[in-house]
Amino acid sequence: MEQLMQYIWQHRLWRADDMVTNDGRHVRVLDPGLLNTDAGPDFFNAKVEIDGQTWVGNIEIHVRASDWKRHGHDSNSAYDSVVLHVVDKDDAPVYRTNGERIPQLVLQVSPLFNMSYDQLMNSHQELPCAATIATVPRLTITEWVERLAFERLHNKVGRVREILELYHGSWEEVCYVTVARNLGFGINNEAFERLARRTPLRLLHKHSDSLLQIEALLFGQAGLLDPSAAGADDYYRHLCSEYAFLANKFSLRPMESEAWKMFRIRPQNFPYRRIAMLAQHIEGGFNLMSRILDANGEKELRQLFQVELTGYWSNHFSFGKPNERPTLALSGKSIDIVLINTVAPLYYAYGEITGNYALIDKAISLLESLKPESNSIVKTFVAAGMECDSALTSQALIELRRSYCDARKCIYCKIGHRLLSESAHR
């Protein structure tokens, strides 16, 4: 509640005609001041006019006036500079440390504002403003979407920076971990990243001349090999044998097989073929980051991930019975997702860290050129009337949903703020 009152004060969403102190003096706010997120009064350097006299100082906001004394402000000289105490419930007078009484104001807002706020906060819909978002000006939405797209991209760049520091500046290691993570396509992201961190490139490169040994290391470390499995085929038995030897040689410890989620997903989306794809990228030495940086345009980037699996995985979705219709390791839509979540952040991070700003532009251009993701989040916004014409926009909508809508942070959302502001001033 106090946070909401701070929001109302900061954005001048009160009813101006009802700005009167509890002793009947009219208040006009010339400057609400600067919001303070640290200890001390809530707003610094405010300017208010009380019955024609201008006061410059700080503002303190409480739900109940009695919170002033409960919080010890009456004995704390840091609050002597408060020129106006703003409350929701006036249940006690407030004083400075020298005994002077501080002017007190009960904050009044429009009933429409309260109704709009309650509707947003208590909505059972996935998108709280679904019924009213179409009324928000297009310019407001466009500016907010652009900001959210960069917010999401910067969050991903932050992860890249953390991995780069962990691997002491090795961009190929960063690329390896990032690609591996995103081969999980959401449901198995954490498991794939654990596999990559548990099976570093320096180990895999010792055996980069043998695809079988690379696969044995990856499948073994993934916890997907069981030497006691009855009816296993020759390939599976070879993997188990190779992994047993390598695990003993390098003192390796596999993941728990339960880390992988396979319930209610299609066989082509099981992790096996994606691990096999990762193995083919490592065969002969992993240099995918260099190839991404050298790629000229979206077509060449796509070719990097259009991997046709060979050998056992050319006609298997998992260990056991062959599949009659072999497919590429990744579909076209899956490659789009890899480009969005892997290549664009790598371009942006590399450009930012090395000062190659052309790569930053390349990251943005790539997201603008790719088709928007087709998932439940994007469909919800489109159904509410929002346009989504590129991956840059769909990434913004995902950020909006996860960081604002799901958390009901409507007062921090430009769309929610616009709707609340309009209701406050009706």
Side-chain angles (χ1 to χ4, degrees), residues 295-337:
N296 184 20
E298 182 185 329
K299 183 178 179 180
E300 290 188 13
L301 286 171
R302 286 186 174 281
Q303 291 172 351
L304 296 178
F305 299 98
Q306 289 171 342
V307 176
E308 187 170 349
L309 298 177
T310 60
Y312 186 87
W313 295 108
S314 64
N315 63 350
H316 283 77
F317 286 137
S318 60
F319 295 118
K321 185 179 179 180
N323 176 55
E324 295 180 358
R325 294 185 300 170
T327 59
L328 291 171
L330 297 177
S331 67
K333 288 186 178 180
S334 294
I335 291 175
D336 282 349
I337 294 172

Side-chain angles (χ1 to χ4, degrees), residues 129-409:
C129 61
T132 51
I133 196 171
T135 66
V136 177
R138 183 176 297 236
L139 180 60
T140 299
I141 291 178
T142 300
E143 290 176 347
W144 183 226
V145 163
E146 183 176 327
R147 178 175 163 184
L148 288 167
F150 280 93
E151 191 173 305
R152 183 163 179 80
L153 186 53
H154 285 151
N155 289 337
K156 293 179 181 180
V157 169
R159 284 185 56 85
V160 171
R161 284 180 173 273
E162 290 174 4
I163 299 170
L164 185 66
E165 183 176 352
L166 180 67
Y167 288 99
H168 309 292
S170 171
W171 280 99
E172 290 298 349
E173 289 273 13
V174 170
C175 182
Y176 165 61
V177 173
T178 305
V179 167
R181 177 181 176 83
N182 291 317
L183 287 177
F185 293 92
I187 193 168
N188 278 312
N189 278 12
E190 297 300 326
F192 262 104
E193 183 167 343
R194 283 179 59 192
L195 172 60
R197 289 176 182 263
R198 193 175 285 236
T199 320
L201 278 181
R202 64 179 182 276
L203 170 62
L204 292 164
H205 280 162
K206 294 177 186 290
H207 304 277
S208 61
D209 59 342
S210 169
L211 182 59
L212 180 68
Q213 288 186 320
I214 296 170
E215 290 175 342
L217 282 167
L218 290 173
F219 282 112
Q221 287 292 86
L224 297 175
L225 297 178
D226 180 7
S228 64
D233 54 35
D234 288 342
Y235 169 75
Y236 187 88
R237 287 195 294 271
H238 283 148
L239 288 182
C240 291
S241 176
E242 285 290 340
Y243 181 68
F245 169 75
L246 294 168
N248 181 65
K249 180 179 180 181
F250 296 110
S251 300
L252 302 177
R253 186 168 57 88
M255 294 167 53
E256 308 82 7
S257 60
E258 293 78 12
W260 300 96
K261 298 179 178 67
M262 303 189 199
F263 185 59
R264 289 183 179 174
I265 62 175
R266 297 176 181 176
Q268 57 265 39
N269 294 328
F270 286 167
Y272 303 98
R273 287 171 62 81
R274 290 162 184 175
I275 292 175
M277 171 187 169
L278 194 59
Q280 285 196 200
H281 274 297
I282 296 166
E283 184 183 20
F286 187 90
N287 62 350
L288 187 56
M289 184 67 186
S290 299
R291 296 167 69 192
I292 287 173
L293 292 173
D294 291 340
N296 184 20
E298 182 185 329
K299 183 178 179 180
E300 290 188 13
L301 286 171
R302 286 186 174 281
Q303 291 172 351
L304 296 178
F305 299 98
Q306 289 171 342
V307 176
E308 187 170 349
L309 298 177
T310 60
Y312 186 87
W313 295 108
S314 64
N315 63 350
H316 283 77
F317 286 137
S318 60
F319 295 118
K321 185 179 179 180
N323 176 55
E324 295 180 358
R325 294 185 300 170
T327 59
L328 291 171
L330 297 177
S331 67
K333 288 186 178 180
S334 294
I335 291 175
D336 282 349
I337 294 172
V338 171
L339 296 181
I340 291 167
N341 293 315
T342 304
V343 175
L346 287 174
Y347 271 154
Y348 201 104
Y350 192 89
E352 196 174 67
I353 291 169
T354 63
N356 185 345
Y357 298 110
L359 279 177
I360 293 177
D361 293 338
K362 201 171 182 178
I364 303 303
S365 296
L366 177 62
L367 291 174
E368 289 176 331
S369 69
L370 292 170
K371 292 181 180 179
E373 294 140 287
S374 178
N375 54 42
S376 60
I377 293 177
V378 173
K379 289 175 182 177
T380 298
F381 281 105
V382 171
M386 290 186 70
E387 296 181 358
C388 185
D389 57 1
S390 72
L392 188 71
T393 303
S394 63
Q395 283 286 286
L397 297 182
I398 292 170
E399 183 69 17
L400 175 56
R401 169 70 179 274
R402 292 180 177 172
S403 296
Y404 295 87
C405 301
D406 289 350
R408 291 300 189 262
K409 291 186 175 181

